[in-house]
Amino acid sequence: MKMPFDAQSDTSDDALLIAFGNGDRLAARILTDRHAPRVIGYAARLLKDRAEAEDVAQDAMMRLWKIAPEWRTGEAKVTTWLYRVVTNLCTDRLRKKRGTGLDEIAEPEDGKPSQDAVLMQKQRVAALSAALDTLPDRQKEAVVLRHIEGLSNPEIAQVLDIGVEAVESLTARGKRALAKALADQRETLGFEDDTA
């Protein structure tokens, strides 16, 4: 007996979600495999806590499963809906944590670079993380969604429930603020001085 979907399937997210809404558990597994890693990564960047990010991702996926039977194709992309839910869940958690320090630094990706490269990467991640933390929440969300997660401006507008022009403004202001915050660290972080 041939299964209607497999893990390598080109089946759209909408079709998979509708299939799950009709009782196909394999469709849910494929959607989870496709999107959970990126959703966890996004949440971890916002929360600075991998365990909390996994909880948020699980909560978002559970909400997706609950709405599956009523999903209407064409109203929103599944990914956009997920990022919006994750953004809201992270915002709620961060509001509850206000007043407590978030000094944890995300660990760099595993690999086999030299120790100097590992140390430099840690310094760069720490500097970027610290600079991102100085941005207002909406700017930080827009910058991370655009430049780290790779979403388009219209997708970010849907996630954040704002206009495309507002997204462009948020990302432009966020990039300028990051450049200013990191300007005096160029040499320390191993970047060549372009003015020479």
Side-chain angles (χ1 to χ4, degrees), residues 3-37:
M3 298 297 288
F5 310 113
D6 62 33
Q8 311 309 318
S9 175
D10 289 334
T11 306
S12 73
D13 292 341
D14 282 338
L16 289 169
L17 190 57
I18 290 167
F20 173 73
N22 291 324
D24 189 330
R25 292 184 179 275
L26 178 59
R29 181 175 298 147
I30 294 169
L31 271 173
T32 300
D33 290 345
R34 276 186 191 173
H35 300 298

PDB file of all heavy atoms in Angstrom, residues 3-37:
ATOM      1  N   MET A   3       1.785   5.136   0.523  1.00  0.00           N
ATOM      2  CA  MET A   3       1.344   6.265   1.350  1.00  0.00           C
ATOM      3  C   MET A   3       1.156   7.482   0.444  1.00  0.00           C
ATOM      4  O   MET A   3       1.882   7.662  -0.528  1.00  0.00           O
ATOM      5  CB  MET A   3       2.390   6.589   2.422  1.00  0.00           C
ATOM      6  CG  MET A   3       2.630   5.456   3.403  1.00  0.00           C
ATOM      7  SD  MET A   3       1.183   5.050   4.370  1.00  0.00           S
ATOM      8  CE  MET A   3       1.110   6.450   5.436  1.00  0.00           C
ATOM      9  N   PRO A   4       0.201   8.360   0.738  1.00  0.00           N
ATOM     10  CA  PRO A   4      -0.033   9.519  -0.114  1.00  0.00           C
ATOM     11  C   PRO A   4       1.092  10.546  -0.048  1.00  0.00           C
ATOM     12  O   PRO A   4       1.284  11.324  -0.959  1.00  0.00           O
ATOM     13  CB  PRO A   4      -1.335  10.101   0.418  1.00  0.00           C
ATOM     14  CG  PRO A   4      -1.460   9.588   1.793  1.00  0.00           C
ATOM     15  CD  PRO A   4      -0.739   8.273   1.834  1.00  0.00           C
ATOM     16  N   PHE A   5       1.863  10.569   1.024  1.00  0.00           N
ATOM     17  CA  PHE A   5       2.946  11.528   1.199  1.00  0.00           C
ATOM     18  C   PHE A   5       4.182  10.781   1.665  1.00  0.00           C
ATOM     19  O   PHE A   5       4.084   9.737   2.284  1.00  0.00           O
ATOM     20  CB  PHE A   5       2.615  12.581   2.274  1.00  0.00           C
ATOM     21  CG  PHE A   5       1.288  13.229   2.102  1.00  0.00           C
ATOM     22  CD1 PHE A   5       0.279  13.009   3.015  1.00  0.00           C
ATOM     23  CD2 PHE A   5       1.049  14.076   1.036  1.00  0.00           C
ATOM     24  CE1 PHE A   5      -0.951  13.614   2.863  1.00  0.00           C
ATOM     25  CE2 PHE A   5      -0.182  14.684   0.887  1.00  0.00           C
ATOM     26  CZ  PHE A   5      -1.183  14.453   1.803  1.00  0.00           C
ATOM     27  N   ASP A   6       5.343  11.343   1.389  1.00  0.00           N
ATOM     28  CA  ASP A   6       6.554  10.856   2.017  1.00  0.00           C
ATOM     29  C   ASP A   6       7.372  12.066   2.445  1.00  0.00           C
ATOM     30  O   ASP A   6       7.060  13.200   2.108  1.00  0.00           O
ATOM     31  CB  ASP A   6       7.350   9.912   1.106  1.00  0.00           C
ATOM     32  CG  ASP A   6       7.841  10.570  -0.166  1.00  0.00           C
ATOM     33  OD1 ASP A   6       8.159  11.771  -0.139  1.00  0.00           O
ATOM     34  OD2 ASP A   6       7.905   9.881  -1.187  1.00  0.00           O
ATOM     35  N   ALA A   7       8.448  11.823   3.188  1.00  0.00           N
ATOM     36  CA  ALA A   7       9.212  12.922   3.770  1.00  0.00           C
ATOM     37  C   ALA A   7       9.831  13.830   2.700  1.00  0.00           C
ATOM     38  O   ALA A   7      10.084  14.994   2.953  1.00  0.00           O
ATOM     39  CB  ALA A   7      10.299  12.380   4.691  1.00  0.00           C
ATOM     40  N   GLN A   8      10.074  13.310   1.502  1.00  0.00           N
ATOM     41  CA  GLN A   8      10.686  14.095   0.432  1.00  0.00           C
ATOM     42  C   GLN A   8       9.624  14.754  -0.456  1.00  0.00           C
ATOM     43  O   GLN A   8       9.927  15.305  -1.498  1.00  0.00           O
ATOM     44  CB  GLN A   8      11.580  13.202  -0.429  1.00  0.00           C
ATOM     45  CG  GLN A   8      12.549  12.332   0.339  1.00  0.00           C
ATOM     46  CD  GLN A   8      13.394  13.079   1.356  1.00  0.00           C
ATOM     47  OE1 GLN A   8      13.869  14.160   1.054  1.00  0.00           O
ATOM     48  NE2 GLN A   8      13.560  12.554   2.535  1.00  0.00           N
ATOM     49  N   SER A   9       8.396  14.643  -0.085  1.00  0.00           N
ATOM     50  CA  SER A   9       7.274  15.090  -0.908  1.00  0.00           C
ATOM     51  C   SER A   9       7.345  16.575  -1.230  1.00  0.00           C
ATOM     52  O   SER A   9       7.773  17.387  -0.425  1.00  0.00           O
ATOM     53  CB  SER A   9       5.971  14.798  -0.157  1.00  0.00           C
ATOM     54  OG  SER A   9       4.878  15.322  -0.854  1.00  0.00           O
ATOM     55  N   ASP A  10       6.887  16.912  -2.431  1.00  0.00           N
ATOM     56  CA  ASP A  10       6.763  18.313  -2.826  1.00  0.00           C
ATOM     57  C   ASP A  10       5.366  18.836  -2.512  1.00  0.00           C
ATOM     58  O   ASP A  10       4.992  19.919  -2.960  1.00  0.00           O
ATOM     59  CB  ASP A  10       7.022  18.459  -4.325  1.00  0.00           C
ATOM     60  CG  ASP A  10       8.486  18.250  -4.677  1.00  0.00           C
ATOM     61  OD1 ASP A  10       9.338  18.482  -3.809  1.00  0.00           O
ATOM     62  OD2 ASP A  10       8.764  17.840  -5.814  1.00  0.00           O
ATOM     63  N   THR A  11       4.612  18.082  -1.761  1.00  0.00           N
ATOM     64  CA  THR A  11       3.254  18.466  -1.411  1.00  0.00           C
ATOM     65  C   THR A  11       3.288  19.779  -0.633  1.00  0.00           C
ATOM     66  O   THR A  11       4.106  19.968   0.256  1.00  0.00           O
ATOM     67  CB  THR A  11       2.588  17.371  -0.562  1.00  0.00           C
ATOM     68  OG1 THR A  11       2.694  16.133  -1.255  1.00  0.00           O
ATOM     69  CG2 THR A  11       1.140  17.694  -0.283  1.00  0.00           C
ATOM     70  N   SER A  12       2.401  20.690  -0.962  1.00  0.00           N
ATOM     71  CA  SER A  12       2.386  22.011  -0.317  1.00  0.00           C
ATOM     72  C   SER A  12       2.014  21.895   1.161  1.00  0.00           C
ATOM     73  O   SER A  12       1.374  20.932   1.589  1.00  0.00           O
ATOM     74  CB  SER A  12       1.388  22.930  -1.019  1.00  0.00           C
ATOM     75  OG  SER A  12       0.064  22.540  -0.705  1.00  0.00           O
ATOM     76  N   ASP A  13       2.428  22.915   1.907  1.00  0.00           N
ATOM     77  CA  ASP A  13       2.079  22.969   3.326  1.00  0.00           C
ATOM     78  C   ASP A  13       0.571  22.985   3.515  1.00  0.00           C
ATOM     79  O   ASP A  13       0.037  22.339   4.417  1.00  0.00           O
ATOM     80  CB  ASP A  13       2.691  24.214   3.980  1.00  0.00           C
ATOM     81  CG  ASP A  13       4.205  24.150   4.061  1.00  0.00           C
ATOM     82  OD1 ASP A  13       4.771  23.040   3.951  1.00  0.00           O
ATOM     83  OD2 ASP A  13       4.822  25.214   4.248  1.00  0.00           O
ATOM     84  N   ASP A  14      -0.129  23.747   2.666  1.00  0.00           N
ATOM     85  CA  ASP A  14      -1.592  23.807   2.757  1.00  0.00           C
ATOM     86  C   ASP A  14      -2.206  22.425   2.595  1.00  0.00           C
ATOM     87  O   ASP A  14      -3.080  22.021   3.372  1.00  0.00           O
ATOM     88  CB  ASP A  14      -2.170  24.741   1.684  1.00  0.00           C
ATOM     89  CG  ASP A  14      -2.025  26.212   2.029  1.00  0.00           C
ATOM     90  OD1 ASP A  14      -1.874  26.531   3.218  1.00  0.00           O
ATOM     91  OD2 ASP A  14      -2.073  27.039   1.113  1.00  0.00           O
ATOM     92  N   ALA A  15      -1.751  21.694   1.588  1.00  0.00           N
ATOM     93  CA  ALA A  15      -2.302  20.363   1.336  1.00  0.00           C
ATOM     94  C   ALA A  15      -2.012  19.424   2.494  1.00  0.00           C
ATOM     95  O   ALA A  15      -2.868  18.612   2.887  1.00  0.00           O
ATOM     96  CB  ALA A  15      -1.741  19.791   0.036  1.00  0.00           C
ATOM     97  N   LEU A  16      -0.811  19.521   3.055  1.00  0.00           N
ATOM     98  CA  LEU A  16      -0.461  18.677   4.192  1.00  0.00           C
ATOM     99  C   LEU A  16      -1.317  19.009   5.410  1.00  0.00           C
ATOM    100  O   LEU A  16      -1.780  18.116   6.121  1.00  0.00           O
ATOM    101  CB  LEU A  16       1.027  18.823   4.528  1.00  0.00           C
ATOM    102  CG  LEU A  16       1.993  18.199   3.531  1.00  0.00           C
ATOM    103  CD1 LEU A  16       3.426  18.652   3.824  1.00  0.00           C
ATOM    104  CD2 LEU A  16       1.897  16.680   3.552  1.00  0.00           C
ATOM    105  N   LEU A  17      -1.530  20.303   5.651  1.00  0.00           N
ATOM    106  CA  LEU A  17      -2.332  20.703   6.807  1.00  0.00           C
ATOM    107  C   LEU A  17      -3.778  20.248   6.647  1.00  0.00           C
ATOM    108  O   LEU A  17      -4.392  19.756   7.599  1.00  0.00           O
ATOM    109  CB  LEU A  17      -2.259  22.219   7.012  1.00  0.00           C
ATOM    110  CG  LEU A  17      -2.856  22.732   8.314  1.00  0.00           C
ATOM    111  CD1 LEU A  17      -2.204  22.085   9.534  1.00  0.00           C
ATOM    112  CD2 LEU A  17      -2.709  24.250   8.405  1.00  0.00           C
ATOM    113  N   ILE A  18      -4.310  20.372   5.457  1.00  0.00           N
ATOM    114  CA  ILE A  18      -5.675  19.905   5.195  1.00  0.00           C
ATOM    115  C   ILE A  18      -5.745  18.393   5.367  1.00  0.00           C
ATOM    116  O   ILE A  18      -6.690  17.861   5.963  1.00  0.00           O
ATOM    117  CB  ILE A  18      -6.140  20.355   3.797  1.00  0.00           C
ATOM    118  CG1 ILE A  18      -6.350  21.872   3.801  1.00  0.00           C
ATOM    119  CG2 ILE A  18      -7.413  19.638   3.385  1.00  0.00           C
ATOM    120  CD1 ILE A  18      -6.514  22.481   2.429  1.00  0.00           C
ATOM    121  N   ALA A  19      -4.713  17.688   4.880  1.00  0.00           N
ATOM    122  CA  ALA A  19      -4.686  16.228   5.037  1.00  0.00           C
ATOM    123  C   ALA A  19      -4.654  15.843   6.511  1.00  0.00           C
ATOM    124  O   ALA A  19      -5.356  14.922   6.940  1.00  0.00           O
ATOM    125  CB  ALA A  19      -3.479  15.642   4.304  1.00  0.00           C
ATOM    126  N   PHE A  20      -3.856  16.577   7.297  1.00  0.00           N
ATOM    127  CA  PHE A  20      -3.840  16.293   8.731  1.00  0.00           C
ATOM    128  C   PHE A  20      -5.212  16.561   9.342  1.00  0.00           C
ATOM    129  O   PHE A  20      -5.705  15.781  10.158  1.00  0.00           O
ATOM    130  CB  PHE A  20      -2.783  17.116   9.469  1.00  0.00           C
ATOM    131  CG  PHE A  20      -2.894  16.950  10.960  1.00  0.00           C
ATOM    132  CD1 PHE A  20      -2.500  15.782  11.572  1.00  0.00           C
ATOM    133  CD2 PHE A  20      -3.458  17.948  11.736  1.00  0.00           C
ATOM    134  CE1 PHE A  20      -2.645  15.612  12.946  1.00  0.00           C
ATOM    135  CE2 PHE A  20      -3.607  17.789  13.098  1.00  0.00           C
ATOM    136  CZ  PHE A  20      -3.194  16.607  13.713  1.00  0.00           C
ATOM    137  N   GLY A  21      -5.832  17.669   8.933  1.00  0.00           N
ATOM    138  CA  GLY A  21      -7.168  17.995   9.434  1.00  0.00           C
ATOM    139  C   GLY A  21      -8.177  16.901   9.128  1.00  0.00           C
ATOM    140  O   GLY A  21      -9.171  16.745   9.831  1.00  0.00           O
ATOM    141  N   ASN A  22      -7.891  16.122   8.082  1.00  0.00           N
ATOM    142  CA  ASN A  22      -8.750  14.996   7.715  1.00  0.00           C
ATOM    143  C   ASN A  22      -8.267  13.673   8.298  1.00  0.00           C
ATOM    144  O   ASN A  22      -8.736  12.617   7.892  1.00  0.00           O
ATOM    145  CB  ASN A  22      -8.860  14.893   6.187  1.00  0.00           C
ATOM    146  CG  ASN A  22      -9.633  16.051   5.605  1.00  0.00           C
ATOM    147  OD1 ASN A  22     -10.589  16.535   6.202  1.00  0.00           O
ATOM    148  ND2 ASN A  22      -9.213  16.523   4.448  1.00  0.00           N
ATOM    149  N   GLY A  23      -7.294  13.742   9.225  1.00  0.00           N
ATOM    150  CA  GLY A  23      -6.885  12.540   9.941  1.00  0.00           C
ATOM    151  C   GLY A  23      -5.577  11.897   9.526  1.00  0.00           C
ATOM    152  O   GLY A  23      -5.205  10.858  10.060  1.00  0.00           O
ATOM    153  N   ASP A  24      -4.834  12.482   8.596  1.00  0.00           N
ATOM    154  CA  ASP A  24      -3.575  11.889   8.134  1.00  0.00           C
ATOM    155  C   ASP A  24      -2.422  12.333   9.037  1.00  0.00           C
ATOM    156  O   ASP A  24      -1.918  13.449   8.915  1.00  0.00           O
ATOM    157  CB  ASP A  24      -3.313  12.295   6.678  1.00  0.00           C
ATOM    158  CG  ASP A  24      -2.146  11.546   6.067  1.00  0.00           C
ATOM    159  OD1 ASP A  24      -1.218  11.177   6.814  1.00  0.00           O
ATOM    160  OD2 ASP A  24      -2.167  11.336   4.849  1.00  0.00           O
ATOM    161  N   ARG A  25      -1.974  11.451   9.911  1.00  0.00           N
ATOM    162  CA  ARG A  25      -0.907  11.789  10.862  1.00  0.00           C
ATOM    163  C   ARG A  25       0.454  11.964  10.183  1.00  0.00           C
ATOM    164  O   ARG A  25       1.290  12.714  10.655  1.00  0.00           O
ATOM    165  CB  ARG A  25      -0.815  10.738  11.960  1.00  0.00           C
ATOM    166  CG  ARG A  25      -2.024  10.741  12.868  1.00  0.00           C
ATOM    167  CD  ARG A  25      -1.845   9.739  14.013  1.00  0.00           C
ATOM    168  NE  ARG A  25      -2.969   9.748  14.899  1.00  0.00           N
ATOM    169  CZ  ARG A  25      -3.114  10.589  15.922  1.00  0.00           C
ATOM    170  NH1 ARG A  25      -2.199  11.485  16.155  1.00  0.00           N
ATOM    171  NH2 ARG A  25      -4.177  10.521  16.692  1.00  0.00           N
ATOM    172  N   LEU A  26       0.696  11.263   9.084  1.00  0.00           N
ATOM    173  CA  LEU A  26       1.957  11.402   8.364  1.00  0.00           C
ATOM    174  C   LEU A  26       2.122  12.835   7.853  1.00  0.00           C
ATOM    175  O   LEU A  26       3.226  13.381   7.855  1.00  0.00           O
ATOM    176  CB  LEU A  26       2.039  10.408   7.202  1.00  0.00           C
ATOM    177  CG  LEU A  26       3.301  10.488   6.347  1.00  0.00           C
ATOM    178  CD1 LEU A  26       4.551  10.261   7.196  1.00  0.00           C
ATOM    179  CD2 LEU A  26       3.250   9.485   5.211  1.00  0.00           C
ATOM    180  N   ALA A  27       1.032  13.444   7.447  1.00  0.00           N
ATOM    181  CA  ALA A  27       1.088  14.829   6.975  1.00  0.00           C
ATOM    182  C   ALA A  27       1.598  15.749   8.084  1.00  0.00           C
ATOM    183  O   ALA A  27       2.403  16.656   7.829  1.00  0.00           O
ATOM    184  CB  ALA A  27      -0.287  15.275   6.490  1.00  0.00           C
ATOM    185  N   ALA A  28       1.165  15.526   9.308  1.00  0.00           N
ATOM    186  CA  ALA A  28       1.634  16.337  10.438  1.00  0.00           C
ATOM    187  C   ALA A  28       3.120  16.131  10.671  1.00  0.00           C
ATOM    188  O   ALA A  28       3.865  17.082  10.951  1.00  0.00           O
ATOM    189  CB  ALA A  28       0.849  15.982  11.695  1.00  0.00           C
ATOM    190  N   ARG A  29       3.575  14.898  10.554  1.00  0.00           N
ATOM    191  CA  ARG A  29       4.999  14.608  10.759  1.00  0.00           C
ATOM    192  C   ARG A  29       5.843  15.332   9.711  1.00  0.00           C
ATOM    193  O   ARG A  29       6.879  15.902  10.029  1.00  0.00           O
ATOM    194  CB  ARG A  29       5.249  13.108  10.699  1.00  0.00           C
ATOM    195  CG  ARG A  29       6.719  12.764  10.943  1.00  0.00           C
ATOM    196  CD  ARG A  29       6.984  11.288  11.007  1.00  0.00           C
ATOM    197  NE  ARG A  29       6.232  10.726  12.124  1.00  0.00           N
ATOM    198  CZ  ARG A  29       5.726   9.502  12.122  1.00  0.00           C
ATOM    199  NH1 ARG A  29       5.895   8.709  11.099  1.00  0.00           N
ATOM    200  NH2 ARG A  29       5.057   9.061  13.175  1.00  0.00           N
ATOM    201  N   ILE A  30       5.393  15.323   8.464  1.00  0.00           N
ATOM    202  CA  ILE A  30       6.143  15.989   7.403  1.00  0.00           C
ATOM    203  C   ILE A  30       6.187  17.499   7.650  1.00  0.00           C
ATOM    204  O   ILE A  30       7.244  18.128   7.539  1.00  0.00           O
ATOM    205  CB  ILE A  30       5.537  15.666   6.019  1.00  0.00           C
ATOM    206  CG1 ILE A  30       5.723  14.172   5.698  1.00  0.00           C
ATOM    207  CG2 ILE A  30       6.182  16.522   4.932  1.00  0.00           C
ATOM    208  CD1 ILE A  30       4.935  13.711   4.486  1.00  0.00           C
ATOM    209  N   LEU A  31       5.060  18.085   8.017  1.00  0.00           N
ATOM    210  CA  LEU A  31       5.035  19.524   8.324  1.00  0.00           C
ATOM    211  C   LEU A  31       5.962  19.855   9.491  1.00  0.00           C
ATOM    212  O   LEU A  31       6.680  20.859   9.461  1.00  0.00           O
ATOM    213  CB  LEU A  31       3.612  19.973   8.660  1.00  0.00           C
ATOM    214  CG  LEU A  31       2.748  20.420   7.497  1.00  0.00           C
ATOM    215  CD1 LEU A  31       1.320  20.671   7.953  1.00  0.00           C
ATOM    216  CD2 LEU A  31       3.306  21.656   6.837  1.00  0.00           C
ATOM    217  N   THR A  32       5.948  19.027  10.515  1.00  0.00           N
ATOM    218  CA  THR A  32       6.814  19.252  11.674  1.00  0.00           C
ATOM    219  C   THR A  32       8.281  19.167  11.262  1.00  0.00           C
ATOM    220  O   THR A  32       9.086  20.020  11.643  1.00  0.00           O
ATOM    221  CB  THR A  32       6.504  18.228  12.780  1.00  0.00           C
ATOM    222  OG1 THR A  32       5.138  18.374  13.160  1.00  0.00           O
ATOM    223  CG2 THR A  32       7.391  18.447  13.992  1.00  0.00           C
ATOM    224  N   ASP A  33       8.636  18.141  10.493  1.00  0.00           N
ATOM    225  CA  ASP A  33      10.017  17.992  10.034  1.00  0.00           C
ATOM    226  C   ASP A  33      10.458  19.181   9.195  1.00  0.00           C
ATOM    227  O   ASP A  33      11.601  19.612   9.270  1.00  0.00           O
ATOM    228  CB  ASP A  33      10.190  16.695   9.232  1.00  0.00           C
ATOM    229  CG  ASP A  33      10.082  15.446  10.094  1.00  0.00           C
ATOM    230  OD1 ASP A  33      10.152  15.559  11.340  1.00  0.00           O
ATOM    231  OD2 ASP A  33       9.921  14.353   9.527  1.00  0.00           O
ATOM    232  N   ARG A  34       9.557  19.715   8.399  1.00  0.00           N
ATOM    233  CA  ARG A  34       9.879  20.856   7.546  1.00  0.00           C
ATOM    234  C   ARG A  34      10.122  22.138   8.334  1.00  0.00           C
ATOM    235  O   ARG A  34      11.010  22.921   8.018  1.00  0.00           O
ATOM    236  CB  ARG A  34       8.730  21.145   6.573  1.00  0.00           C
ATOM    237  CG  ARG A  34       8.717  20.339   5.344  1.00  0.00           C
ATOM    238  CD  ARG A  34       7.615  20.825   4.407  1.00  0.00           C
ATOM    239  NE  ARG A  34       7.436  19.866   3.335  1.00  0.00           N
ATOM    240  CZ  ARG A  34       6.473  19.931   2.434  1.00  0.00           C
ATOM    241  NH1 ARG A  34       5.604  20.924   2.476  1.00  0.00           N
ATOM    242  NH2 ARG A  34       6.386  19.022   1.498  1.00  0.00           N
ATOM    243  N   HIS A  35       9.263  22.389   9.308  1.00  0.00           N
ATOM    244  CA  HIS A  35       9.237  23.732   9.891  1.00  0.00           C
ATOM    245  C   HIS A  35       9.716  23.856  11.334  1.00  0.00           C
ATOM    246  O   HIS A  35      10.133  24.945  11.733  1.00  0.00           O
ATOM    247  CB  HIS A  35       7.828  24.318   9.769  1.00  0.00           C
ATOM    248  CG  HIS A  35       7.375  24.423   8.355  1.00  0.00           C
ATOM    249  ND1 HIS A  35       8.013  25.207   7.421  1.00  0.00           N
ATOM    250  CD2 HIS A  35       6.375  23.799   7.683  1.00  0.00           C
ATOM    251  CE1 HIS A  35       7.424  25.082   6.256  1.00  0.00           C
ATOM    252  NE2 HIS A  35       6.423  24.231   6.379  1.00  0.00           N
ATOM    253  N   ALA A  36       9.682  22.815  12.110  1.00  0.00           N
ATOM    254  CA  ALA A  36      10.057  22.928  13.524  1.00  0.00           C
ATOM    255  C   ALA A  36      11.485  23.443  13.718  1.00  0.00           C
ATOM    256  O   ALA A  36      11.698  24.321  14.565  1.00  0.00           O
ATOM    257  CB  ALA A  36       9.838  21.609  14.247  1.00  0.00           C
ATOM    258  N   PRO A  37      12.482  22.957  12.973  1.00  0.00           N
ATOM    259  CA  PRO A  37      13.843  23.455  13.226  1.00  0.00           C
ATOM    260  C   PRO A  37      13.978  24.971  13.045  1.00  0.00           C
ATOM    261  O   PRO A  37      14.598  25.643  13.868  1.00  0.00           O
ATOM    262  CB  PRO A  37      14.691  22.699  12.196  1.00  0.00           C
ATOM    263  CG  PRO A  37      13.928  21.444  11.925  1.00  0.00           C
ATOM    264  CD  PRO A  37      12.480  21.852  11.993  1.00  0.00           C
TER     265      PRO A  37
END
